[in-house]
């Protein structure tokens, strides 16, 4: 419950405050979005599976964002940034989709 | 797709194959795990730890207070939501920025085109003045010859009777969505107008000279590299009645009439008594030199 409220507060804050994202950070924003979605869906599913753990949630979110950003940064330096971003998006996207499917099965039993 | 932490009821033993039969690379483990392990394994481990702690004793540790966990969750969710919100607002602002840039570019193009046409009319006026002053200075004979040559080269504005053709693309959203008038059709039309005896032709206000090109760039028609806009008005000066008879029996007239019936394009031919056509621009000659020097030096 608090988590949902906190999520909404974060979204509204991000929309209202209109922070200027520095240019060097801009390429990593999409990756951060995907990682955030992955963390949110994973946490929700874990909650429904009754194995939610706050520490795992926060640590996995932060670590995923950092690792994904690092991979993309490394790819940019090596000239394969777009390919590595694709890899990150594919892996996290499959996880998001699988978790969403599990949540769906939990809620609708179908 | 069962969560990996659930107790395996009948999980196949992956590590120990039946004796004698070597595993023949069943499924690539990476793809297998991509397909199965959607949840972070940390959750399962944490749950197992908790279970073990609960089994071990009722008071595990002081560090696992619920308030602290709640704070962690709330902070994590605020950060995650903030990332989403920032991304959304940034996408929005990028969109408006791109739109602004496009509008500014279009305005620039419009302004440049306006300037071009203004300069062209200024050039025509100046040429007129030049001719008048040349005539006043007494160079009447050669100047008359120059005027005649310019007229033959379709460079001077002309007036006279002739035909006016109005063409337009079929209205959008009428079944035949991919029916469009192409540059080819216009070229045929203009050729038939010349053949019917036209002495001067303009398309959409652009006068055709001896080297004019009618081409297409995307959806726009370019006449001498200048875009003309639908509906197109094609004006041809000539003996209007004779020209009309000849033109009506020409292939391109039949072509456009059938287009009008089949696809609903607009195609109107009308005889006019007084058409005014602008002067054309002279084709640039960079390398060609005249054989003999003209009798009067350029003035």
């Amino acid at each position: 419950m608090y988590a949902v409220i906190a999520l909404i507060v974060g979204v509204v804050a991000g929309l209202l405050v209109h922070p200027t994202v520095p240019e060097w950070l801009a390429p990593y924003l999409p990756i951060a979005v995907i990682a955030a979605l992955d963390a949110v869906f994973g946490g929700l599913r874990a909650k429904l599976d009754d194995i939610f753990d706050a520490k795992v949630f926060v640590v996995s979110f932060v670590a995923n964002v950092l690792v994904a950003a690092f991979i993309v940064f490394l790819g940019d330096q090596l000239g394969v940034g777009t390919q590595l971003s694709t890899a990150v998006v594919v892996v996290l996207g499959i996880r998001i989709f699988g978790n969403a499917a599990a949540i769906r099965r939990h809620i609708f039993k179908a | 797709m069962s969560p990996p932490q659930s107790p395996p009821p009948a999980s196949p033993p992956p590590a120990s194959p039946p004796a004698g039969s070597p595993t023949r690379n069943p499924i690539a483990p990476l793809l297998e795990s991509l397909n199965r392990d959607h949840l972070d394994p940390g959750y399962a481990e944490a749950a197992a730890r908790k279970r073990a702690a609960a089994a071990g004793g009722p008071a595990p540790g002081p560090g696992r207070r619920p308030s602290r966990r709640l704070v962690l969750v709330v902070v994590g969710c605020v950060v995650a939501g903030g990332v989403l919100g920032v991304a959304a607002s940034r996408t929005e602002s990028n969109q408006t920025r791109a739109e602004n840039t496009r509008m500014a570019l279009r305005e620039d193009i419009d302004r440049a085109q306006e300037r071009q046409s203004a300069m062209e009319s200024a050039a025509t006026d100046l040429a007129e003045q030049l001719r008048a002053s040349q005539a006043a200075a007494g160079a009447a004979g050669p100047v008359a010859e120059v005027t005649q040559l310019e007229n033959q080269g379709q460079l001077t504005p002309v007036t006279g009777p002739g035909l006016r053709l109005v063409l337009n693309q079929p209205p959008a959203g009428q079944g035949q969505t991919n029916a469009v008038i192409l540059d080819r059709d216009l070229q045929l039309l203009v050729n038939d107008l010349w053949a019917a005896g036209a002495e001067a032709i303009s398309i959409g206000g652009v006068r055709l000279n001896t080297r004019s090109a009618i081409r297409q760039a995307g959806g726009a028609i370019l006449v001498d590299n200048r875009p003309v806009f639908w509906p197109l008005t094609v004006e041809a000066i000539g003996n209007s009645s004779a020209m009309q008879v000849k033109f009506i029996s020409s292939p391109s007239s039949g072509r456009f009439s059938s287009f009008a019936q089949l696809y609903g394009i607009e195609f109107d031919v009308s005889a006019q008594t007084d058409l005014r056509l602008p002067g054309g621009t002279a084709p640039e000659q960079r390398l060609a030199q005249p054989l003999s020097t003209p009798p009067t030096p350029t003035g």
Side-chain angles (χ1 to χ4, degrees):
Chain A
M1 191 61 215
Y2 290 111
V4 172
I5 295 172
L7 199 64
I8 292 170
V9 165
V11 170
V12 170
L15 278 176
L16 289 188
V17 174
H18 253 286
T20 45
V21 182
E23 275 311 305
W24 57 268
L25 204 58
Y28 308 113
L29 195 57
I31 298 296
V33 169
I34 304 280
L37 275 180
D38 176 56
V40 168
F41 276 103
L44 188 55
R45 181 187 170 182
K47 185 86 197 158
L48 291 173
D49 282 347
D50 275 333
I51 55 167
F52 184 75
D53 188 272
K55 199 176 112 193
V56 175
F57 172 69
V58 172
V59 170
S60 76
F61 172 44
V62 172
N64 274 354
V65 169
L66 290 183
V67 169
F70 176 69
I71 289 176
V72 174
F73 167 77
L74 203 63
D76 274 338
Q77 301 303 312
L78 294 175
V80 287
T82 44
Q83 287 90 332
L84 280 183
S85 320
T86 309
V88 168
V89 168
V90 165
V91 169
L92 291 182
I94 289 176
R95 277 174 54 155
I96 290 171
F97 201 79
N99 282 333
I103 292 166
R104 183 203 69 207
R105 281 197 296 276
H106 261 290
I107 294 177
F108 298 111
K109 308 278 185 253
Chain B
M1 274 187 260
S2 67
Q5 75 286 342
S6 65
S11 69
S16 60
S21 70
T23 43
R24 232 174 251 275
N25 192 15
I27 304 172
L30 172 67
L31 292 180
E32 166 82 354
S33 81
L34 253 189
N35 213 12
R36 201 168 26 111
D37 302 337
H38 299 132
L39 197 56
D40 203 295
Y43 285 120
E45 274 167 30
R49 256 203 316 278
K50 253 185 255 174
R51 226 178 290 131
R64 300 271 126 206
R65 285 189 307 275
S67 64
R68 203 182 117 189
R69 266 185 281 161
L70 188 65
V71 166
L72 267 181
V73 172
V74 166
V75 168
C77 282
V78 166
V79 172
V83 167
L84 296 181
V86 168
S89 71
R90 193 180 148 77
T91 310
E92 232 166 68
S93 69
N94 270 2
Q95 227 166 12
T96 52
R97 215 184 305 162
E99 191 61 33
N100 287 345
T101 314
R102 196 171 339 159
M103 292 297 288
L105 279 176
R106 202 174 292 161
E107 275 167 23
D108 279 356
I109 292 173
D110 282 349
R111 226 172 299 135
Q113 276 177 348
E114 264 170 36
R115 232 182 97 219
Q116 187 196 12
S117 52
M119 285 168 90
E120 263 169 21
S121 67
T124 316
D125 286 351
L126 287 174
E128 204 76 44
Q129 279 177 28
L130 182 68
R131 224 169 285 130
S133 47
Q134 274 173 344
V143 168
E145 200 181 341
V146 168
T147 310
Q148 198 192 349
L149 285 173
E150 278 182 346
N151 200 9
Q152 283 170 6
Q154 314 274 350
L155 298 182
T156 50
V158 289
T159 174
L163 294 183
R164 174 178 289 154
L165 283 66
V166 179
L167 309 170
N168 202 357
Q169 300 276 26
Q174 264 199 2
Q176 310 272 359
T177 45
N178 51 357
V180 288
I181 302 175
L182 297 176
D183 49 357
R184 278 199 293 279
D185 307 318
L186 275 177
Q187 289 164 7
L188 286 175
L189 184 82
V190 167
N191 279 345
D192 278 338
L193 279 174
W194 289 125
E199 292 168 6
I201 297 180
S202 74
I203 298 179
V206 181
R207 177 81 174 273
L208 296 186
N209 63 34
T210 47
R211 286 200 341 213
S212 291
I214 302 169
R215 293 188 300 110
Q216 195 162 19
I221 298 280
L222 302 179
V223 179
D224 263 354
N225 273 337
R226 264 180 289 173
V228 293
F229 303 102
W230 303 100
L232 275 185
T233 308
V234 180
E235 291 177 330
I237 288 184
N239 183 339
S240 53
S241 54
M243 211 161 70
Q244 191 162 15
V245 170
K246 263 190 166 174
F247 176 70
I248 292 296
S249 59
S250 72
S252 69
S253 170
R255 186 186 176 92
F256 271 86
S257 305
S258 58
F259 283 175
Q261 282 171 10
L262 287 174
Y263 304 117
I265 69 162
E266 188 183 340
F267 178 57
D268 290 326
V269 184
S270 58
Q272 304 283 329
T273 52
D274 185 30
L275 290 175
R276 285 170 186 282
L277 268 55
T281 46
E284 212 179 331
Q285 294 191 340
R286 291 202 184 91
L287 300 174
Q289 302 284 341
L291 265 179
S292 59
T293 49
T296 50
T298 55

